[in-house]
Amino acid sequence: MPSPTSDERLPRSSVPSDGPAGPGRAAQPDAAAFRDQAALDRLLAGLERFSPDDDPAHPRGGATDPTLVAVDATDRLLLDEAASALAASGPGEVVVIDDRFGALTLGAAVAHGLTGIRVHQDALASELALDRNATAHGQAGLAATFTHLPLGEDLLRGARVVLVQLPRSLAALRDVAEHVARFAAPDVVVLAGGRLKHMTPTMNDVLAESFTDVRASLARQKSRVLVARGPRPGVGLTYPVTEHLAELDLDVVAYGAAFAGASLDIGTRYLLGFLDRVSPDARDAVDLGCGTGILAVSFARSRPDAVVVATDQSEAAVRSARATAAAGGVGERVRVVRDDVGSSLADHSADVVLCNPPFHQGAALSTGVAHRMFAAAGRVLRPGGELWTVYNSHLRYRPALERAVGPTTQAGRGPKFTVTRSVRPGAR
């Protein structure tokens, strides 16, 4: 969509002429609405851009990631638009969804003295970053102001203010909106913010499926907030959805935020064609970044003696993969773990690693996650173990794979994707 100017609004949105929280007009910090604006400014200035494995106690962690942004214009606009509503909220009435590094959660706690904030972050990396930032500023008790919860009734029961970092996926947004409409208080207000370049009018329509009043704020610094009120009665939950993939004879189960939903993405489809070339002696397998679990389940079904550990940092992916494994009849041989790039797996514990790495982190294009996956595979594989990777051919990962794992050969190359086999040096 074109970049609107500061006085333009997303199509299909109306703008309120008034309202206690002021959504619909360009937000300006209201000193009266903030308990401590100076403390908020200090907090936001000090938030760090932790990457997922930055725990100093972890042998592979300890440094912040300069490629990630800890606080952006959307965080600040959300806090400004929500200031009056947050100031009027009591303990346990505020929910934050998909806070990236803690700006929304900790900002609400510091600026408004709020406690009992309930937080859901699909990405484990965001959970870890929030926890780290909560203890990094020396403010006694800040970490005790919030609780992590999965998306569900316990997260949203009685909530009156919900702050959301807009997901890129409409399915993820629909899942969130339906849960809020179904379980939050009748007078709940949802403030969902995003960068203009990633927002579309369809997001308004998705929110309008669950709420009677959806409006847009003015843009500021290339960000905007959608404000939803009036939960529609009787809203049901769309997710999880189940689709039967006839080409695999497999039912795939997907929750809203799971990548590719219940479909078969084309990279995974290409890699599946090479599973019969994996070493016949492989018994302990790992699927790094498992998504809905299609690779893990397919490998387990093709190798009745194999056990598979499927890992993903997305809570929606983990729930989806568990359900897909159960639907595929291999739930007892596919163990699904929510962790960061196999960080919970023991060294030299796998005969084969399967990997379809993402080339983005959130909304940003990035190869950093893929390189971390390659390093994890090199650590987890036994001598002689194999890493089978599929990736967009233009990324030219082969040198990185050889450094991280070992000798790498091209097993196949199509119009868009390349599949490689990397072998960790040593004998089995």
Side-chain angles (χ1 to χ4, degrees):
M1 61 179 291
S3 298
T5 59
S6 61
D7 60 351
E8 292 176 338
R9 294 164 177 81
L10 288 171
R12 298 196 287 271
S13 293
S14 58
V15 180
S17 60
D18 203 355
R25 54 171 63 92
Q28 299 294 330
D30 179 0
F34 288 100
R35 176 182 262 190
D36 197 334
Q37 177 70 55
L40 175 63
D41 291 340
R42 288 193 299 271
L43 170 81
L44 297 182
L47 291 182
E48 295 188 68
R49 300 170 293 186
F50 296 115
S51 63
D53 57 350
D54 279 341
D55 185 350
H58 196 288
R60 293 174 295 280
T64 58
D65 184 344
T67 69
L68 302 177
V69 178
V71 182
D72 69 4
T74 303
D75 294 315
R76 296 180 185 275
L77 182 59
L78 271 167
L79 288 170
D80 286 349
E81 288 282 356
S84 296
L86 291 173
S89 298
E93 294 183 340
V94 173
V95 171
V96 178
I97 296 177
D98 283 337
D99 196 0
R100 288 165 301 186
F101 292 91
L104 300 178
T105 304
L106 303 180
V110 167
H112 303 284
L114 291 169
T115 59
I117 301 171
R118 288 170 280 175
V119 184
H120 169 69
Q121 294 155 290
D122 182 65
L124 178 61
S126 294
E127 280 192 16
L128 299 176
L130 169 56
D131 291 343
R132 288 284 302 280
N133 272 317
T135 58
H137 296 276
Q139 300 192 51
L142 191 57
T145 61
F146 62 89
T147 303
H148 295 290
L149 289 168
L151 184 63
E153 182 175 1
D154 289 345
L155 174 74
L156 290 155
R157 188 187 304 110
R160 300 185 63 239
V161 180
V162 179
L163 305 184
V164 182
Q165 274 281 356
L166 276 169
R168 294 288 298 278
S169 159
L170 294 177
L173 178 59
R174 179 175 290 109
D175 206 4
V176 167
E178 290 174 351
H179 275 83
V180 175
R182 182 163 181 171
F183 298 121
D187 62 347
V188 66
V189 56
V190 180
L191 298 102
R195 304 292 283 169
L196 291 176
K197 62 183 178 181
H198 302 310
M199 296 176 72
T200 68
T202 310
M203 291 177 171
N204 297 43
D205 298 336
V206 169
L207 288 171
E209 293 170 5
S210 296
F211 296 90
T212 60
D213 182 20
V214 179
R215 312 182 181 203
S217 76
L218 296 177
R220 190 180 77 187
Q221 295 180 304
K222 300 182 180 180
S223 293
R224 193 189 297 277
V225 172
L226 302 181
V227 183
R229 288 188 172 92
R232 295 187 185 276
V235 169
L237 299 180
T238 299
Y239 303 95
V241 296
T242 301
E243 295 289 342
H244 182 74
L245 300 184
E247 61 189 290
L248 302 179
D249 190 23
L250 175 65
D251 288 336
V252 177
V253 183
Y255 287 82
F259 172 74
S263 66
L264 175 60
D265 76 272
I266 54 179
T268 295
R269 175 183 280 113
Y270 192 50
L271 181 54
L272 284 170
F274 295 84
L275 292 190
D276 61 353
R277 294 170 58 179
V278 173
S279 170
D281 298 329
R283 293 293 179 269
D284 295 308
V286 170
D287 180 0
L288 281 179
C290 64
T292 56
I294 294 174
L295 275 173
V297 172
S298 297
F299 188 82
R301 295 204 324 182
S302 70
R303 307 286 181 103
D305 296 330
V307 294
V308 185
V309 179
T311 80
D312 205 295
Q313 72 153 334
S314 162
E315 181 185 71
V318 166
R319 295 169 70 189
S320 302
R322 284 179 181 148
T324 299
V330 291
E332 293 183 356
R333 291 191 293 118
V334 176
R335 180 168 67 92
V336 186
V337 179
R338 186 179 184 227
D339 78 356
D340 173 58
V341 193
S343 59
S344 65
L345 304 182
D347 294 357
H348 317 313
S349 59
D351 300 316
V352 61
V353 173
L354 307 173
C355 186
N356 179 7
F359 56 92
H360 59 86
Q361 187 158 2
L365 294 177
S366 172
T367 60
V369 175
H371 287 275
R372 294 180 60 241
M373 286 180 160
F374 303 157
R379 175 183 65 82
V380 169
L381 283 170
R382 297 177 176 127
E386 302 175 350
L387 167 64
W388 287 79
T389 311
V390 61
Y391 54 88
N392 290 73
S393 297
H394 73 274
L395 293 173
R396 303 184 184 278
Y397 279 146
R398 185 168 171 176
L401 288 163
E402 294 197 336
R403 288 193 300 269
V405 180
T408 298
T409 56
Q410 179 177 295
R413 185 182 178 98
K416 186 172 183 180
F417 293 100
T418 294
V419 169
T420 55
R421 172 181 178 265
S422 306
V423 180
R424 191 175 188 275
R428 286 185 183 274

